[in-house]
Amino acid sequence: MLGHRFPAALGLPRGLLLGRSVTRRSLSAMAGGEAEGPLGGFFDYMERLRNYERSGVPRGAGTDSDDGFDLGRMRRLLRRLGDPHTDFPAVHIAGTKGKGSTAALLSNIMRAQGYNVGSYSSPHLLTIRERISVGNDGGPVPVRLLSDLFDGAKEAIDEAIELENGSLTHFEVFTALSFLLFSQENVDIAIIEAGLGGARDATNVIRSTELAASVITTVGREHLVALGGSLQSIAIAKSGIIKQGQPVVIGGPFSAVIEQIIRDRAFLTQSPVISACDPGIKSFTKCIDWDNVH
């Protein structure tokens, strides 16, 4: 199996990289019953990476601080894969609630208009393949497509894991694979859901030159410890997806303090702000001058 060829130079037993042993139960939870099929080697490989979705995210890991996740290792991994995240425009979505449904809605709207859409979200219900969709049907990435993608990228991922002393995570590797697939499939646009916070999330390698828009749906108290301990620190983390000169759409409603944090970030980056709670944008129909539609 591919998993048995994990980088030997790490010098670590199989379970030690995870901080626990690889169990069939955890493997099945990721694979949705597919662990014994064509993707068995892929699932076994991924299961050996550190998975903070299961072990819990460290204190402050989502903050833009010394405690935050290192985006440098994500960028170095992507560089080994040919910087695929620079090959398509993207909408980047963060928020405590509503980001998954927003991503699904936007993806379906774009598909209905005939665009080749890549979508990346988390978590999943039955199989991790649900996190990636590409093309016009919006379904989970096909088994063979994901298998071929992994086989082609495995050598570069092995090298990156070794150079990073085993610190690359499950989420980072799978995010990189999704970007690689979107590049290979020549998507017209990608809808990318942030995993945790925003500023130090592995998805936040999208540059302003590729960002079509950022979206912040809501700000709540989930992952409080990982995101700095307050609603204000959570808002700061999520506003980290706002990029220079690119528009940001905000949901809410937010308290005045939280909305000001987001707007301050947008002001610094010279990013236009579109608020779903503005009086004139409470429904799409109110935004349209029907008298002048021909």
Side-chain angles (χ1 to χ4, degrees), residues 1-25:
M1 296 174 69
L2 289 170
H4 294 308
R5 298 197 297 273
F6 211 78
L10 292 177
L12 298 174
R14 290 181 56 176
L16 191 57
L17 190 61
L18 284 161
R20 56 177 171 76
S21 61
V22 177
T23 67
R24 300 312 298 175
R25 179 181 298 176

Side-chain angles (χ1 to χ4, degrees), residues 23-248:
T23 67
R24 300 312 298 175
R25 179 181 298 176
S26 60
L27 185 60
S28 178
M30 177 173 66
E34 298 171 345
E36 303 302 332
L39 285 173
F42 164 75
F43 288 124
D44 188 52
Y45 186 99
M46 293 294 293
E47 194 60 23
R48 299 180 194 192
L49 299 171
R50 188 172 299 279
N51 189 341
Y52 289 114
E53 293 177 43
R54 296 204 182 118
S55 64
V57 182
R59 179 181 297 272
T63 62
D64 196 11
S65 68
D66 290 343
D67 294 325
F69 287 127
D70 178 15
L71 283 182
R73 66 177 178 239
M74 183 66 182
R75 294 190 179 99
R76 290 187 290 272
L77 170 59
L78 288 168
R79 193 173 304 127
R80 287 190 167 273
L81 295 172
D83 286 325
H85 60 302
T86 66
D87 293 337
F88 48 82
V91 175
H92 198 192
I93 305 172
T96 304
K97 298 291 186 182
K99 62 181 184 288
S101 56
T102 300
L105 178 64
L106 285 175
S107 297
N108 287 333
I109 289 172
M110 299 300 288
R111 289 189 189 99
Q113 294 298 310
Y115 291 100
N116 180 18
V117 180
S119 179
Y120 181 63
S121 61
S122 59
H124 60 273
L125 293 176
L126 299 177
T127 168
I128 197 171
R129 293 191 297 110
E130 296 168 14
R131 299 188 181 200
I132 302 176
S133 67
V134 64
N136 296 322
D137 65 0
V141 58
V143 168
R144 178 51 58 191
L145 191 57
L146 181 56
S147 177
D148 290 346
L149 177 76
F150 174 67
D151 289 347
K154 182 181 177 296
E155 182 177 352
I157 296 171
D158 282 348
E159 293 170 352
I161 289 172
E162 185 170 347
L163 288 172
E164 301 294 341
N165 295 316
S167 61
L168 277 168
T169 69
H170 179 284
F171 187 76
E172 288 165 344
V173 170
F174 201 69
T175 300
L177 285 171
S178 75
F179 291 165
L180 181 61
L181 181 63
F182 296 159
S183 173
Q184 292 179 356
E185 294 295 304
N186 296 310
V187 299
D188 297 313
I189 191 165
I191 310 299
I192 308 295
E193 178 188 341
L196 174 76
R200 292 296 184 93
D201 188 74
T203 61
N204 201 31
V205 292
I206 301 167
R207 307 179 307 183
S208 60
T209 48
E210 285 77 50
L211 184 69
S214 54
V215 180
I216 300 175
T217 58
T218 59
V219 174
R221 291 185 173 275
E222 286 188 14
H223 307 296
L224 196 63
V225 173
L227 294 175
S230 69
L231 278 177
Q232 290 88 341
S233 65
I234 292 174
I236 291 169
K238 294 187 186 302
S239 65
I241 70 169
I242 301 172
K243 298 296 193 306
Q244 186 69 36
Q246 302 306 318
V248 54

Side-chain angles (χ1 to χ4, degrees), residues 222-288:
E222 286 188 14
H223 307 296
L224 196 63
V225 173
L227 294 175
S230 69
L231 278 177
Q232 290 88 341
S233 65
I234 292 174
I236 291 169
K238 294 187 186 302
S239 65
I241 70 169
I242 301 172
K243 298 296 193 306
Q244 186 69 36
Q246 302 306 318
V248 54
V249 180
I250 61 174
F254 303 103
S255 70
V257 171
I258 296 303
E259 183 162 340
Q260 193 58 52
I261 289 172
I262 297 171
R263 288 185 178 273
D264 285 348
R265 168 70 181 182
F267 177 79
L268 288 174
T269 58
Q270 299 179 303
S271 300
V273 178
I274 303 164
S275 173
C277 292
D278 283 349
I281 314 182
K282 288 189 175 178
S283 73
F284 287 115
T285 56
K286 291 181 181 179
C287 302
I288 301 173

